Amino acid sequence: MTIPAVPETGPTTQAPAGADRSRGTALVTGVTGYIGGLLVDPLLADGWSVRVLTRSSQRLAGRPWLERVDVVEGDATEPADLGRALAGVDVAYYLLHSMDGKGDFAERDRRLARSFAEVAGSAGVRRIVYLGGIHPAGERLSAHLASRVEVGQILLDGPVPVTCLQAGVVLGDGSASFDMLRHLTERLPAFVAPTWLRNRIQPIAVRDALHYLVGAAGMPPEVNRTFDIAGPDVLTYAEMMQRFAVVTGRRRRLIATVPVLTPGLASHWVGLVTPVAAGIARPLVGSLVHEVVAAEHDIAAYVPDPAGGLTGFDDAVRAAMAHTTDSNGRRNVVLASTAVLACAVAGGAATDPSSEWYRRLDLPSWQPPPSTFGLVWTPLYAALAGASASAITAFEDDERADQARRYWAALGINLALNAGWSAVFFRARRLDLATVTAALLTASSADLARRAGSAGRGHAVVLAPYAGWCGFATVLTGAIARLNRRTVSNRARARLDRARPRRARQPRRTR
């Protein structure tokens, strides 16, 4: 991820030359995250002295503002570390969320919010600014969105006044929600999606979100409430994908919706297709089940809108994509699908289970019916093509070109072994050699899953059945070879006997 320059992502309001530069001290937590990392520069530009809390200062290496801030190393879950970080602070930005997908995230977030509010009150902090999520009233929320709402309420009930900003999809390069939108659109020219992609969403440009975050620090002490912040456009997620495609010079996407893809399944699908890990995708997808539309714009009474107005969706996408390179996702899908299809065609052409030779073979009793193989190989080939294209694209997007090239080579070897098995078994009729070929194919398939797993665990999970089925094919081929070894040997001996020239009969000698 690259951090954009302040003029492109920061708030439009900056302190004029010669202005008072002593607004106070602001603590930024979650500084290694997307919003936290971008917030520091606008705060400095607005006249704040900035302190950041991080578990490791080494993770801040290369940040342009590093030499201008006070860095406190510590763990936000430890009250002692929080006390050191909050000492002498006027405004504290609470940008901490558990996004690891572990089951106890809600309780961890609950404990952390309570501890933060108590320590901030003891330290004399004047205001806490929290960034949560827009959510509809009266609906049952997803676990992650409900947790974020609960965290906001815990802070509001604490001893320190709180500005709780609630946003939907944040449009900016490096935002997980934007990355999901971008990569889904870039990599999938057509796909089947859940019906909740038709729900309305009101996204906000990261530039505008930062503007409100900075402005929220100066609210009067009596303000202790939530504010919805959003951009000017209300779109469905499907419409956002279509608009993204048009703005970035792509064709409109073909999107069909079905009601059967649950948020849990969809998050794994997103984790496979995009660089967004399934653990991160789960809360993002969970929020899309609801209408994410601002219910009010009261923030303008305290923090005026940015000069020139709020950023529209198209302009926000252009700004976010200004420093990114185009993904090769679509090209990789076409290439991988073509290669896998060629393998399937070649293997199918070499396969002849109706031949007299095959019908005369002794087969194990546990061999599946012939129709099973086509039913199994078809989805496995589709998974191989999709997971491979996604893994290669992830390598390329993450500037791991060498891994992408090595994966292409490994895929080529795998497909050659796959098609080669059919030729060795059915055409050459070399059962022992076919067993060896199947074993090499299994090893190659397991290696593919391992390589794909380094692009994301979901890729390895998708390829695991392919490797498993190849392993089954190896065992089956070996069993057929053992059952027919004596028969084959007898037939070979008979062929030799038939081919051996007969000696002419010698007349008997007579005395």
Side-chain angles (χ1 to χ4, degrees), residues 290-310:
H290 311 286
E291 297 265 315
V292 186
V293 179
E296 41 81 12
H297 190 54
D298 297 348
I299 187 73
Y302 301 94
V303 183
D305 291 343
L310 293 166

Side-chain angles (χ1 to χ4, degrees), residues 25-115:
T25 299
L27 172 70
V28 179
T29 61
V31 73
T32 56
Y34 177 64
I35 292 293
L38 292 180
L39 181 61
V40 174
D41 262 331
L43 284 171
L44 291 169
D46 199 47
W48 290 91
S49 297
V50 176
R51 180 183 299 165
V52 299
L53 173 63
T54 179
R55 290 180 179 177
S56 172
S57 58
Q58 294 180 350
R59 297 182 63 188
L60 303 181
R63 303 286 178 138
W65 39 256
L66 184 57
E67 300 301 323
R68 296 184 289 154
V69 302
D70 176 22
V71 178
V72 175
E73 281 192 319
D75 189 338
T77 63
E78 296 293 333
D81 291 345
L82 278 180
R84 289 189 296 110
L86 289 166
V89 165
D90 298 284
V91 175
Y93 284 87
Y94 189 92
L95 303 174
L96 303 169
H97 300 291
S98 297
M99 297 280 279
D100 53 16
K102 295 181 180 178
D104 62 342
F105 70 90
E107 178 57 30
R108 282 183 286 140
D109 279 349
R110 191 179 298 123
R111 290 197 304 266
L112 182 57
R114 288 172 179 161
S115 175

Side-chain angles (χ1 to χ4, degrees), residues 133-467:
I134 292 178
H135 59 280
E139 290 188 19
R140 182 177 179 179
L141 305 178
S142 68
H144 279 86
L145 187 53
S147 177
R148 295 183 72 177
V149 173
E150 182 185 23
V151 165
Q153 192 58 53
I154 290 172
L155 295 175
L156 288 167
D157 293 339
V160 179
V162 175
T163 303
C164 181
L165 301 181
Q166 300 179 146
V169 173
V170 177
L171 303 174
D173 178 32
S175 161
S177 55
F178 179 77
D179 286 348
M180 188 173 86
L181 169 70
R182 171 195 170 187
H183 290 293
L184 283 176
T185 309
E186 288 182 340
R187 298 182 181 184
L188 299 176
F191 62 96
V192 176
T195 53
W196 36 262
L197 257 68
R198 304 297 179 185
N199 289 345
R200 297 183 306 153
I201 299 169
Q202 195 169 358
I204 184 170
V206 64
R207 171 182 178 272
D208 297 338
L210 293 171
H211 169 84
Y212 289 126
L213 282 165
V214 173
M219 285 188 175
E222 66 273 11
V223 176
N224 185 57
R225 56 162 291 186
T226 63
F227 296 92
D228 289 349
I229 59 172
D233 299 314
V234 178
L235 306 163
T236 67
Y237 200 90
E239 288 171 340
M240 290 199 301
M241 294 181 70
Q242 301 290 20
R243 290 270 287 269
F244 180 96
V246 172
V247 169
T248 56
R250 294 171 171 82
R251 294 180 180 178
R252 291 177 61 85
R253 272 30 190 165
L254 300 176
I255 303 174
T257 57
V258 293
V260 295
L261 198 58
T262 66
L265 291 175
S267 65
H268 289 290
W269 171 66
V270 170
L272 171 65
V273 176
T274 78
V276 180
I280 302 297
R282 191 170 296 113
L284 299 179
V285 170
S287 67
L288 299 178
V289 177
H290 311 286
E291 297 265 315
V292 186
V293 179
E296 41 81 12
H297 190 54
D298 297 348
I299 187 73
Y302 301 94
V303 183
D305 291 343
L310 293 166
T311 308
F313 179 85
D314 293 356
D315 288 337
V317 169
R318 292 188 186 96
M321 297 296 291
H323 301 286
T324 62
T325 56
D326 280 343
S327 171
N328 291 323
R330 185 175 181 181
R331 182 207 67 179
N332 292 335
V333 168
V334 172
L335 292 177
S337 299
T338 302
V340 172
L341 179 60
C343 164
V345 171
T351 302
D352 187 11
S354 62
S355 67
E356 181 182 355
W357 170 81
Y358 182 77
R359 286 188 281 111
R360 291 172 61 187
L361 289 176
D362 292 326
L363 303 177
S365 60
W366 45 268
Q367 174 171 319
S371 60
T372 303
F373 293 92
L375 294 174
V376 172
W377 277 114
T378 299
L380 289 180
Y381 279 139
L384 175 61
S388 295
S390 180
I392 291 166
T393 303
F395 290 141
E396 292 175 344
D397 289 348
D398 203 26
E399 299 181 354
R400 291 185 283 173
D402 287 344
Q403 283 184 267
R405 285 192 293 270
R406 288 195 292 269
Y407 190 96
W408 276 123
L411 178 62
I413 293 172
N414 183 270
L415 296 178
L417 289 169
N418 191 308
W421 177 90
S422 297
V424 172
F425 188 96
F426 286 97
R427 299 301 175 183
R429 299 177 181 179
R430 299 283 303 280
L431 299 183
D432 288 340
L433 182 57
T435 303
V436 173
T437 303
L440 293 174
L441 173 61
T442 300
S444 171
S445 301
D447 179 62
L448 276 184
R450 178 190 64 80
R451 292 175 184 273
S454 63
R457 182 175 176 270
H459 299 85
V461 171
V462 170
L463 288 179
Y466 174 68

